[in-house]
Amino acid sequence: MTVIAERYHIPEQHFWLHGPRSGQPVEFDASAGIWNVYGYPELHEVLMDPATFSSDTMRVIPKEMLPKEGFSLEGFITQIDPPEHGKLRKLVSSAFTRKVVADLEPRIAALTHELLDEARDRGRFELVTDLAYPLPVIVIAELLGVPSSDRALFKKWADALFQRDAKPSLAKRREEDLEAVMKPWREMSGYLADHAAERKLRPRADLLTRLVEAEVDGERLPDDQVVNFAIILLLAGHITTTMLLGNTVLCLDAFPDQQDKARADRSTIPDVIEESLRFLTPFAAVGRATTREVELGGVTIPADQVVMGWLAVANRDPRQFPNPDVFDPGRDPNPHVGFGRGIHFCLGAPLARLEGRVALNILLDRFNPLRTDPDDPAELMPTPTMTGVRRLALL
């Protein structure tokens, strides 16, 4: 059992945190109808070969598992392959350049202090509610151009979509389970569609206006593509940092010697964040669909199969990471896949890293030591494909 599993309540779904796993790097789960890729080199091959391992998993999902109406993944960039993927990604990539992101540092620092001051005035501090959620959601809302004051709505939708404990499976879903996902999806789509329509009338200097006015091959994006692109930016733009920040604090609580080192030498904070991404990988898995029969990890996967690439497990592959269950910010090299790899590498990675670095430095300034409350245990999300704290009370 790992230190993390001994110290905190780790859901069974996060099996890789309960100790080294045995078995093959690629395995077929007959009950779920899915191929699982656990090994680092095997996963690297999956991520770097989009021609064989397509991101368009919807084409192989049984129709009875999909909503009957009111659902479209047009413009959903995580589900798109080249060449369309590159064209859409280019539309917003300029919003996340190194300079643009660096210019956000004063705003991120001011927000962090403001949120911590508000928590201090309330007399208690729970990391997720008071900082790790509101900080990145305010930043991405301001970039996108939607009111950050609506963040309670965003959280309601994100929780409904992601706080689920069912493992990935091709088994038929119940109608009520589908509706539980579709209701927040429709609400969020309608919300962003209204804002997009307003931008057509009154453009602004924000990402949503850029999407509304963008052209691909000389044509404007259809409305559903604009909305779906905005959904990805809004959700992924805050959830990753929320999990990253909570996970990093959890690591520094579990390994106090590393917290002491980081406090004494702040230049090591980026390395702390990178090791946190490896050790507690926020988005634990990604889906792909095979376009042809392929051999991987000594087994043959037929065409048109769903493949789950387990980033969190690959980041603990001892073939790539010696002593993988040790949190070691000095690990060099540290080629983790916490933000993915290849053409779908996380677009917002520079922003997430900046938010993590700024917030962690300020937390270390204001909390000495940075400790969880033993009388209010940390609570992790139950979602198998995501690793993040849902609640983390600090003393």
Side-chain angles (χ1 to χ4, degrees), residues 181-288:
V181 172
M182 287 309 303
K183 185 175 184 294
W185 183 276
R186 285 192 293 264
E187 290 176 359
M188 186 165 42
S189 296
Y191 173 91
L192 289 169
D194 288 344
H195 280 281
E198 194 269 341
R199 289 308 185 283
K200 290 182 179 180
L201 300 175
R202 287 176 286 277
R204 304 181 196 171
D206 56 31
L207 269 177
L208 196 51
T209 299
R210 186 177 301 184
L211 290 176
V212 167
E213 295 181 343
E215 292 186 359
V216 175
D217 296 333
E219 295 186 1
R220 292 280 177 94
L221 294 179
D223 291 346
D224 56 350
Q225 286 198 24
V226 170
V227 169
N228 284 341
F229 211 147
I231 287 174
I232 279 286
L233 291 170
L234 182 60
L235 291 180
H238 80 264
I239 291 174
T240 302
T241 301
T242 296
M243 292 190 288
L244 168 60
L245 190 52
N247 291 349
T248 304
V249 170
L250 200 69
C251 289
L252 293 181
D253 177 67
F255 297 88
D257 57 325
Q258 296 297 347
Q259 181 177 159
D260 292 341
K261 291 179 181 178
R263 190 183 303 280
D265 183 0
R266 300 303 178 86
S267 69
T268 64
I269 294 294
D271 292 332
V272 169
I273 290 171
E274 296 308 306
E275 178 67 349
S276 170
L277 287 163
R278 183 199 70 82
F279 193 79
L280 293 176
T281 306
F283 280 97
V286 293
R288 295 290 187 266

Side-chain angles (χ1 to χ4, degrees), residues 71-108:
F71 180 74
S72 167
L73 286 178
E74 288 295 321
F76 215 70
I77 195 169
T78 59
Q79 286 279 321
I80 298 175
D81 293 322
E84 290 77 12
H85 171 268
K87 296 174 183 177
L88 286 178
R89 187 178 175 106
K90 188 177 180 181
L91 292 179
V92 296
S93 59
S94 60
F96 296 97
T97 64
R98 185 168 300 181
K99 182 183 186 307
V100 170
V101 169
D103 288 344
L104 292 172
E105 183 165 348
R107 175 61 175 155
I108 293 169

